[in-house]
Amino acid sequence: MSEKVVTRFAPSPTGYLHVGGARTALFNWLLAKRTGGTFILRIEDTDQKRNTPTATQQVMDDLRWLGIQWDEGPEVGGPNGPYLQSQRIDIYNKYIKKLLDEQKAYYCFDTTEELDALRKEAESQKKSFSYSRPKEFPNESDVEKAKAQGRDVTVRFAVPQDVPMVVADIVRGEITFAAGAIGDFIIQKSDGFPTYNFACVVDDYLMKITHVIRGQEHLNNTPGQQALWRALFSSPLPKYVHMSVTVSDTGGKLSKRERPKTLRTAIKAKQDIDLEKLAETGNITPEQLDSFIKGKAMPDIPAIDAMAEYLGAALPEINIVDFFKSGYLPETMVNFLALLGWNPGDNREIMVLDELTESFDLSRLTKANSLFDRRKLLAFNTEHIKMTPPEKLLQHLRAYLKTVNSPVNSAEDELLLKIIKLCEGARTLVDIERKSRFLFLDNDEIEYDNKAVKKVLLKNDGLAVLTIVRDKLAAMEQFTEQVIEDMLRCLTEEKQVGLGKIAQPLRVAICGTTVSLPIFESVQMLGKKDTLTRIDTTLKKFAAEN
RNA sequence: GGCCCCAUCGUCUAGGUAGGUCCAGGACACCGGGUUUUCAACCCGGCAACAGGGGUUCGAAUCCCCUUGGGGCUACCA
C-alpha cells in the first residue's frame, strides 16, 4: 500500500502565469487527481525585489480559469500553512540555526563584488566556480564584528564534497554529479530571507510532498537540495521528475521576454512613429521608452500591452491571459499543454480534463524538449469550440466579451446562443465576436473596409445589385430568414449568377466587411429598418465614387 | 568555458524499458482536388522522418561508443 501522493506547484509571484508554469502546474495537478492525492499551491515569494503585489492573485485567477484548483494553499487554507513563504521565515530560521549549530552551515561575509571577481577568475581558468569553504567556520563574535563593519552576512550550506551525488529521476533515470561538483551555496540571504534552494526543501518536507514535478531547469539544483534534505531530515527524499522544457519557435526557452522583444522589433521596423505619443500611451517617459528601444530597460506589462495596441502590433501569447484575450478556451489550453511532453499512449489528442486525468501517467512523459506550435493550438481550439456545449461556450464567450469590452456583450443570453450556433466552425472566440459585432453597432458606427468596398461594391455592378436588393427588401411584408432567402435565391436565378454576387454587396452594406454571420440570418437579425438604412447610407456614400 | 539533459516527418509525437510483425503509425502544418452566401468548417487525395559514423547481432529506429546538433544551469532569482 503506497502512501498518498502529494504534489505542489510553487510559482514565484513575479507576474502572470505563463504557459510553462501552467504546464508544470497541470502535470502536478493531474498526478494528484489521478491518484486521489493532494495538490498544494505554495507561493515562493522570498525575493523581495522581484515580487509584484498583484501577481499572486493573477496566478490564482489563471489557474482557476484553467480548471486547476488546489486542495491546499492561499485562500483555501490547509493543515500545512501558511502557504506564502514570506510568512514562514521563523520556520526557516529554526532550521538554519540547527544547521549552524551542527556545523553543517556557516556564515559568510563576502561582498557581491568579491564573489564576482572569484567567479571571473574561475572562468578564466576554464574551471567551474565553487566557493572555497573556510577551514574554520566564523563564530558569533565574528558575525558581530562583520556587522559592525557594515558587511553583509549570509549563511552557506556546507555541501558534502567527498562522494558523488546521484539524483534518481523518474523519467530520466539516475543522474550522477561528480564528488565536489556542487559547491557550498547560500541558504540565507543578507536580508534574512532564505534562498529558494533552502525554503523549497524545508517546505517540501513540512508539506509532505511526495512527488516534485518541475522543469528541467531545476535539475542542477536537485543534488544540492537533496544534500540539504539529508542534512536536515531522516525521512526519505521525495520522488523527482524533471520535465522537458517548452521552447519557442524563435529558439530557446519560451519566455516572457518575447513580448517586449517583439514590441521592440515592431517599433524599430516602423519609421514614422510618434515616440512621444507612444511613451504617453504606455504611461512611461520618453527617456524610459528610449532606453527600452535600446534594450536597456524593461517597462511593465501594462505599458508593453498598451504600446503594442497603439501600434497595432500583435505580440506572441506567452501568459495564460494572453491566450484568453486571443479567444482561446481553457479546455484548449489544458489539452494542448498536457500533450507537450506527454501523451496517453494511443492516438487520442483531443481530450478534456477528465480524460486527461484518467489517462495520466508519469511513465509517459517525454524526455526531449518540445516546441510550442501555435498553429496546432489553433486547430485544437477549433475542435474544442466545436465540441463544447453551447451553454458552456456562452459562459466562456461572456467572459471574453467582457474583458475585451465588446459591444456584443450587450446581447441577451438567448441571442448570444443563437449567434454561437451560427458560428459553427469558428476557430477562436474572436471569430464569433467579429462576425456578430455589426448587430450591436449603431448604424453610423459601421466602418467600411476599403478592400471589401472595392472588391464587391465598386466592381461587377455591386452597387446596382445592391439597389435591386434594397427595393426587394423594402417591399417585403414579412421579414423572416426564409422570405429573405427565397428572395435572394430567386434573384440569382433571374440574373444567372452565384449567390455570392448578390449576398456580398449586401453583406458589406450592413456590416462594412465581407465577414459576418450567414447572410440570411444577418439581415433578419439586424431587422428591416436598420438594414434599409445601412443600404441607403452605403449607396449614397459610394455612388459618387463609382 | 564548466556541469547537466536531449536527439523519429517542417511541428507535436507512436514505436525504443522484452531488437525481427516499422521499406516507420497518428495529429497539426503544407500541397492538390471537391463542397460553399463571406470567414471558417467539412470531404477526398498527396508530400514528408529514424542527425552522422562506428560497433554488438543472423537481424537495430530500438542496445553500446564517438561525433555533430539543440536545450538547460552556471545569482545573496526562482
Side-chain angles (χ1 to χ4, degrees):
Chain A
M1 181 70 197
S2 59
E3 61 179 331
K4 201 179 105 172
V5 167
V6 183
T7 62
R8 99 272 131 134
F9 175 52
S12 66
T14 54
Y16 292 95
L17 179 66
H18 56 99
V19 284
R23 175 163 157 270
T24 305
L26 176 62
F27 283 18
N28 277 286
W29 184 90
L30 284 172
L31 179 67
K33 294 302 123 180
R34 170 82 183 103
T35 56
T38 303
F39 173 66
I40 297 178
L41 176 64
R42 181 173 79 217
I43 305 298
E44 309 222 326
D45 55 349
T46 54
D47 187 352
Q48 306 259 277
K49 293 181 283 285
R50 296 206 320 159
N51 295 342
T52 29
T54 50
T56 301
Q57 191 57 50
Q58 286 162 350
V59 167
M60 292 194 294
D61 289 348
D62 291 342
L63 285 173
R64 286 190 172 122
W65 180 70
L66 290 169
I68 300 175
Q69 178 59 54
W70 48 103
D71 306 304
E72 288 180 32
E75 288 187 0
V76 305
N80 300 300
Y83 295 92
L84 264 58
Q85 289 188 329
S86 58
Q87 296 173 7
R88 300 170 65 82
I89 303 303
D90 291 348
I91 300 172
Y92 306 128
N93 284 156
K94 196 181 92 193
Y95 287 103
I96 285 171
K97 182 168 188 310
K98 183 169 182 258
L99 250 18
L100 247 11
D101 288 347
E102 294 173 2
Q103 298 280 300
K104 289 175 178 169
Y106 57 94
Y107 292 109
C108 292
F109 314 116
D110 314 273
T111 64
T112 311
E113 294 72 33
E114 288 163 352
L115 290 172
D116 283 347
L118 289 171
R119 260 183 222 107
K120 267 209 185 101
E121 199 190 315
E123 193 169 338
S124 72
Q125 291 177 13
K126 303 192 171 192
K127 280 194 287 198
S128 58
F129 171 73
S130 190
Y131 190 83
S132 51
R133 191 183 302 169
K135 296 233 165 43
E136 205 164 314
F137 292 169
N139 58 32
E140 293 299 330
S141 79
D142 294 325
V143 173
E144 291 312 315
K145 234 182 284 173
K147 275 186 183 162
Q149 288 170 11
R151 305 210 79 164
D152 284 344
V153 179
T154 57
V155 177
R156 267 179 208 269
F157 173 53
V159 180
Q161 299 290 307
D162 47 351
V163 286
M165 299 203 237
V166 178
V167 173
D169 184 290
I170 293 182
V171 308
R172 282 166 214 278
E174 293 194 343
I175 299 148
T176 306
F177 295 79
I182 310 296
D184 296 350
F185 55 91
I186 292 181
I187 55 178
Q188 186 176 54
K189 308 183 229 178
S190 56
D191 64 1
F193 275 67
T195 58
Y196 156 74
N197 276 313
F198 183 78
C200 158
V201 170
V202 170
D203 286 344
D204 283 347
Y205 169 77
L206 292 175
M207 295 179 183
K208 303 172 193 71
I209 304 298
T210 60
H211 292 71
V212 174
I213 305 172
R214 63 197 348 180
Q216 197 212 97
E217 61 268 25
H218 290 287
L219 188 50
N220 292 303
N221 290 144
T222 309
Q225 291 180 8
Q226 291 190 345
L228 210 36
W229 181 292
R230 291 196 174 105
L232 242 20
F233 315 116
S234 57
S235 54
L237 293 164
K239 294 187 168 61
Y240 291 93
V241 176
H242 291 94
M243 308 185 302
S244 57
V245 172
T246 305
V247 298
S248 157
D249 42 15
T250 56
K253 188 165 73 161
L254 200 60
S255 141
K256 300 175 201 182
R257 288 189 299 272
E258 285 191 47
R259 286 170 72 80
K261 229 163 76 188
T262 306
L263 177 63
R264 185 181 293 135
T265 312
I267 295 173
K268 284 182 178 168
K270 293 195 183 182
Q271 304 294 328
D272 51 341
I273 298 181
D274 182 348
L275 289 175
E276 246 168 70
K277 187 90 188 290
L278 184 64
E280 195 183 309
T281 311
N283 201 14
I284 58 177
T285 67
E287 291 74 34
Q288 284 173 318
L289 177 61
D290 185 60
S291 84
F292 166 61
I293 295 172
K294 287 178 177 154
K296 289 178 192 159
M298 192 69 78
D300 58 10
I301 293 171
I304 298 283
D305 288 353
M307 290 191 285
E309 201 184 325
Y310 173 74
L311 291 180
L315 304 183
E317 298 96 345
I318 300 291
N319 299 312
I320 291 298
V321 275
D322 301 335
F323 290 95
F324 168 61
K325 288 181 188 163
S326 292
Y328 289 90
L329 264 35
E331 288 84 352
T332 304
M333 298 312 298
V334 153
N335 189 175
F336 187 73
L337 254 19
L339 256 34
L340 237 43
W342 176 84
N343 69 78
D346 46 40
N347 281 335
R348 279 181 304 159
E349 289 204 315
I350 300 298
M351 289 183 274
V352 295
L353 208 45
D354 284 348
E355 295 171 280
L356 293 171
T357 306
E358 230 170 88
S359 316
F360 191 73
D361 187 337
L362 285 180
S363 72
R364 296 210 60 88
L365 287 197
T366 309
K367 289 191 250 190
N369 290 170
S370 45
L371 187 140
F372 192 88
D373 183 358
R374 291 190 166 73
R375 289 186 295 193
K376 185 147 182 166
L377 178 74
L378 228 206
F380 270 47
N381 205 48
T382 309
E383 277 315 305
H384 277 285
I385 286 184
K386 203 174 299 170
M387 64 192 262
T388 302
E391 292 71 22
K392 195 168 181 191
L393 204 50
L394 176 69
Q395 290 173 18
H396 290 323
L397 183 60
R398 272 280 178 228
Y400 167 76
L401 294 173
K402 221 163 136 186
T403 62
V404 300
N405 224 338
S406 166
V408 180
N409 198 31
S410 66
E412 302 280 322
D413 280 0
E414 203 186 335
L415 179 56
L416 223 38
L417 273 173
K418 185 175 176 185
I419 288 170
I420 285 171
K421 284 170 189 156
L422 289 172
C423 286
E424 213 183 337
R427 310 210 76 182
T428 67
L429 298 179
V430 178
D431 289 349
I432 300 179
E433 199 274 345
R434 195 181 51 186
K435 283 182 167 189
S436 53
R437 187 181 179 86
F438 76 99
L439 285 171
F440 306 94
L441 294 173
D442 287 338
N443 290 337
D444 55 10
E445 285 180 304
I446 295 295
E447 289 176 21
Y448 294 94
D449 174 50
N450 268 335
K451 262 204 219 149
V453 169
K454 265 188 202 151
K455 194 175 161 198
V456 307
L457 287 180
L458 304 183
K459 277 186 188 165
N460 303 323
D461 299 328
L463 290 173
V465 170
L466 186 57
T467 309
I468 297 170
V469 171
R470 186 235 174 258
D471 291 341
K472 298 233 179 204
L473 286 170
M476 279 180 175
E477 285 178 18
Q478 279 186 312
F479 210 70
T480 64
E481 287 149 32
Q482 192 59 55
V483 178
I484 295 165
E485 175 167 359
D486 290 345
M487 181 276 283
L488 291 174
R489 290 209 187 276
C490 186
L491 210 51
T492 61
E493 277 174 38
E494 264 178 45
K495 298 236 151 208
Q496 286 296 304
V497 293
L499 187 52
K501 287 273 178 294
I502 301 198
Q504 284 303 76
L506 177 56
R507 194 188 304 274
V508 174
I510 63 174
C511 308
T513 76
T514 53
V515 178
S516 81
L517 301 172
I519 191 66
F520 315 128
E521 284 86 353
S522 286
V523 172
Q524 187 274 328
M525 288 165 91
L526 183 61
K528 185 169 176 177
K529 186 165 162 279
D530 288 329
T531 300
L532 291 176
T533 305
R534 290 187 188 184
I535 293 175
D536 288 338
T537 307
T538 305
L539 287 172
K540 206 188 292 169
K541 186 170 163 63
F542 297 107
E545 295 182 27
N546 202 11

